Amino acid sequence: MISSEQEAAERLEGTAAADGLASAEEIVLRGRGIVPGKIRGEALVSPETISGWGGIDPATGTIIERRHSLCGVSFADKVLVFPGAKGSSGWSGFFQSTRLLGTAPAAMVFTKMTTKAVLGAVVTRVPTVSELDQDPVQIICTGDLVEVDADSGTVTVLQRGDRQFAV
């Protein structure tokens, strides 16, 4: 018979539920590298897709979509973890503007690979990983220190943050 402590530890291993509990070991998600590179940074997690055209302010890297849960929060220099892109093909143009203005995310990790999201990552030129073996939006929390290694297609949670949804 398995103890309740052992069951709890097994549930947390490899998933580290977003309820504030963390495993003692690093959590590694494996997926597909989209744009090469490797970077460590603080995660900003969006449970919702992000609209590029009209949903972000490229001058500040801030999400301005009024009904978005991260409205008013800047993704500049953060590891942006999100389900994917929504809206028109203008998405990539707005994210390219963030690169040109110095307000781009440090890296991107997204769940659903679409042409908008991939093209946005390519023109933004930041390390990007997608198609992960676990849902990064469910595993990673805002404030976590993560390493995105798009060369090997991995995203590693190195240290748990303070469990806030938005920074």
Side-chain angles (χ1 to χ4, degrees), residues 48-92:
E48 304 168 54
T49 55
I50 296 175
S51 176
W53 189 0
I56 67 166
D57 176 1
T60 62
T62 300
I63 297 169
I64 58 172
E65 187 178 345
R66 289 185 182 192
R67 292 193 175 117
H68 198 282
S69 60
L70 293 180
C71 184
V73 178
S74 175
F75 52 69
D77 298 320
K78 306 277 190 209
V79 175
L80 183 59
V81 181
F82 62 114
K86 69 178 173 183
S88 73
S89 58
W91 200 90
S92 58

Side-chain angles (χ1 to χ4, degrees), residues 31-124:
R32 179 177 178 183
I34 305 298
V35 178
K38 183 176 180 179
I39 192 159
R40 287 184 179 192
E42 181 182 344
L44 175 64
V45 180
S46 171
E48 304 168 54
T49 55
I50 296 175
S51 176
W53 189 0
I56 67 166
D57 176 1
T60 62
T62 300
I63 297 169
I64 58 172
E65 187 178 345
R66 289 185 182 192
R67 292 193 175 117
H68 198 282
S69 60
L70 293 180
C71 184
V73 178
S74 175
F75 52 69
D77 298 320
K78 306 277 190 209
V79 175
L80 183 59
V81 181
F82 62 114
K86 69 178 173 183
S88 73
S89 58
W91 200 90
S92 58
F94 275 78
F95 272 84
Q96 180 185 26
S97 294
T98 66
R99 178 182 58 83
L100 297 171
L101 295 168
T103 60
M108 291 187 199
V109 177
F110 51 85
T111 307
K112 186 174 181 184
M113 186 159 17
T114 63
T115 55
K116 284 186 281 284
V118 171
L119 183 56
V122 169
V123 298
T124 307

